[in-house]
Amino acid sequence: MRNILTILKMIRITGMSLIIVALVAGALLTGYAVRGWVAPPSPPDDAHAEHAEADHDHDHAEHAEADGNELWTCSMHPQVQLPEPGLCPICNMDLIPLDDAPTEPRTFTTSPEAAALMGIRVRPVERRTVHAEVRLSGRVTSDERRIARISAWVPGRIERLFVDFTGTEVRRGDPMVELYSPELYSAQTELLRALESRGPLRPDEPGQDLLRSTTDLMVGAARERLRLWGLTEDQIREIEERGHATDTLTITAPAGGTVIRRHVEEGEYVRTGAPIYSIADLSHVWAMFDAYESDLPWLRCGQEVEFTARSYPGETFRGRVSFVSPTVTDRT
């Protein structure tokens, strides 16, 4: 109303001017009435101050919480704690509020559904013996304690091989190889001569006892030499009964088993101690398994072992660990 009276004082009231003033005054009155109808009446000054102060405190609290009280961390690296959201500087994952993160660095939190899908099982911690099933691959091989080798006791030439391929089953005493040896022929000749010199001696003649004892020593030495060169008692007796020496020697098998290796060929010259055959008793074999270094804490002598072989499908073999090698394979 004061504004309207001021306008009236400032304008001269004449014919057309009065109409304009009336229109202006009507417009102002209408706008004032509309403003009073739409807008609610203003609250008292004290209530308005209290409302403004409450809004200011709420905004200030939210701002303070966002600025300093709320921290953001990484679910994979809980040591990361930042004052604002973003990406983890280590793994580049989205940060989460610290209230949603695990309280302990080594705490894993998940939903029951996710735990069921992952197959997580929880049991109380207890002290007891740990059992583990170790699966190894291996091979069956000969028992080293049941391998016999036929070697040349005297140097010579291989005249004949009675067993000319591996895998042959032999028995103790079977002929294996025929060896020609000049040294063996000389030893047989010495034995036969010692026997001939002992024949014409008579015990009633004087001085014959000393000569007979000397001849007996020569016969015994010749026999011992032949025995040391690999001849059996039956072979030596056969030479004495035959009465003449031969230039070949038949070497027999010292033990029964399977020939697993042949080292020479017919016509080949061999020296003393040269291997000719290797014979293994396969009635008792070894199962050799390859284990990694990480498996060694679970292995010890005396443990029971179960294994299967492709050559015997459906059959399970059992045994015990009798030896663990103290070394590892340097190639692997």
Side-chain angles (χ1 to χ4, degrees), residues 123-130:
R123 294 192 60 181
V125 178
E126 59 181 351
R127 184 181 297 274
R128 60 183 178 87
T129 304
V130 180

Side-chain angles (χ1 to χ4, degrees), residues 108-173:
F108 176 77
T109 304
T110 183
S111 62
E113 293 79 7
L117 292 176
M118 289 185 288
I120 298 177
R121 299 179 181 178
V122 181
R123 294 192 60 181
V125 178
E126 59 181 351
R127 184 181 297 274
R128 60 183 178 87
T129 304
V130 180
H131 299 275
E133 181 179 352
V134 182
R135 301 182 63 88
L136 306 175
S137 60
R139 61 196 179 278
V140 177
T141 183
S142 305
D143 188 349
E144 295 181 359
R145 301 167 297 182
R146 297 172 178 262
I147 297 179
R149 288 178 173 84
I150 299 177
S151 58
W153 295 59
V154 291
R157 184 181 69 247
I158 303 297
E159 291 291 331
R160 180 182 178 186
L161 292 175
F162 293 95
V163 178
D164 54 359
F165 62 91
T166 59
T168 305
E169 295 285 341
V170 296
R171 294 176 298 179
R172 181 184 178 88

Side-chain angles (χ1 to χ4, degrees), residues 233-252:
E233 295 293 337
D234 294 338
Q235 290 176 325
I236 296 175
R237 190 179 304 108
E238 182 182 355
I239 294 173
E240 294 176 355
E241 294 176 355
R242 185 173 59 244
H244 63 86
T246 59
D247 54 0
T248 59
L249 169 66
T250 301
I251 302 176
T252 59

Side-chain angles (χ1 to χ4, degrees), residues 66-305:
D67 290 342
N69 295 337
E70 187 175 8
L71 295 178
W72 297 78
T73 184
C74 177
S75 59
M76 297 294 295
H77 304 91
Q79 68 272 18
V80 176
Q81 296 183 2
L82 300 179
E84 58 184 8
L87 299 179
C88 176
I90 299 177
C91 62
N92 205 31
M93 291 181 59
D94 293 333
L95 299 179
I96 61 175
L98 186 59
D99 296 339
D100 299 339
T103 57
E104 297 293 335
R106 298 180 180 178
T107 301
F108 176 77
T109 304
T110 183
S111 62
E113 293 79 7
L117 292 176
M118 289 185 288
I120 298 177
R121 299 179 181 178
V122 181
R123 294 192 60 181
V125 178
E126 59 181 351
R127 184 181 297 274
R128 60 183 178 87
T129 304
V130 180
H131 299 275
E133 181 179 352
V134 182
R135 301 182 63 88
L136 306 175
S137 60
R139 61 196 179 278
V140 177
T141 183
S142 305
D143 188 349
E144 295 181 359
R145 301 167 297 182
R146 297 172 178 262
I147 297 179
R149 288 178 173 84
I150 299 177
S151 58
W153 295 59
V154 291
R157 184 181 69 247
I158 303 297
E159 291 291 331
R160 180 182 178 186
L161 292 175
F162 293 95
V163 178
D164 54 359
F165 62 91
T166 59
T168 305
E169 295 285 341
V170 296
R171 294 176 298 179
R172 181 184 178 88
D174 288 348
M176 300 295 295
V177 62
E178 190 175 86
L179 178 68
Y180 165 76
S181 174
E183 289 83 354
L184 186 61
Y185 181 81
S186 300
Q188 296 179 53
T189 304
E190 292 178 5
L191 173 61
L192 294 177
R193 288 178 179 177
L195 292 174
E196 290 177 359
S197 61
R198 190 181 60 176
L201 296 178
R202 296 179 181 180
D204 54 349
E205 296 181 359
Q208 296 296 315
D209 294 338
L210 179 61
L211 185 59
R212 176 177 290 277
S213 61
T214 303
T215 306
D216 292 341
L217 291 176
M218 293 176 58
V219 172
R223 287 177 176 174
E224 183 66 17
R225 180 181 300 179
L226 292 175
R227 189 185 65 82
L228 294 176
W229 279 354
L231 273 70
T232 63
E233 295 293 337
D234 294 338
Q235 290 176 325
I236 296 175
R237 190 179 304 108
E238 182 182 355
I239 294 173
E240 294 176 355
E241 294 176 355
R242 185 173 59 244
H244 63 86
T246 59
D247 54 0
T248 59
L249 169 66
T250 301
I251 302 176
T252 59
T258 304
V259 177
I260 60 175
R261 187 173 181 183
R262 180 170 57 87
H263 302 273
V264 296
E265 302 289 344
E266 286 189 2
E268 184 176 349
Y269 280 86
V270 294
R271 297 182 179 180
T272 302
I276 301 176
Y277 291 104
S278 294
I279 302 175
D281 182 8
L282 300 182
S283 61
H284 186 278
V285 295
W286 279 353
M288 306 289 292
F289 296 98
D290 298 326
Y292 292 99
E293 294 182 67
S294 58
D295 299 329
L296 295 181
W298 305 104
L299 302 177
R300 66 179 184 275
C301 293
Q303 287 179 326
E304 295 184 359
V305 179

Side-chain angles (χ1 to χ4, degrees), residues 3-23:
N3 295 334
I4 296 174
L5 294 177
T6 303
I7 294 174
L8 292 177
K9 290 180 180 180
M10 294 176 60
I11 300 176
R12 295 180 179 179
I13 303 175
T14 56
M16 184 59 69
S17 297
L18 182 59
I19 298 173
I20 295 173
V21 171
L23 293 176

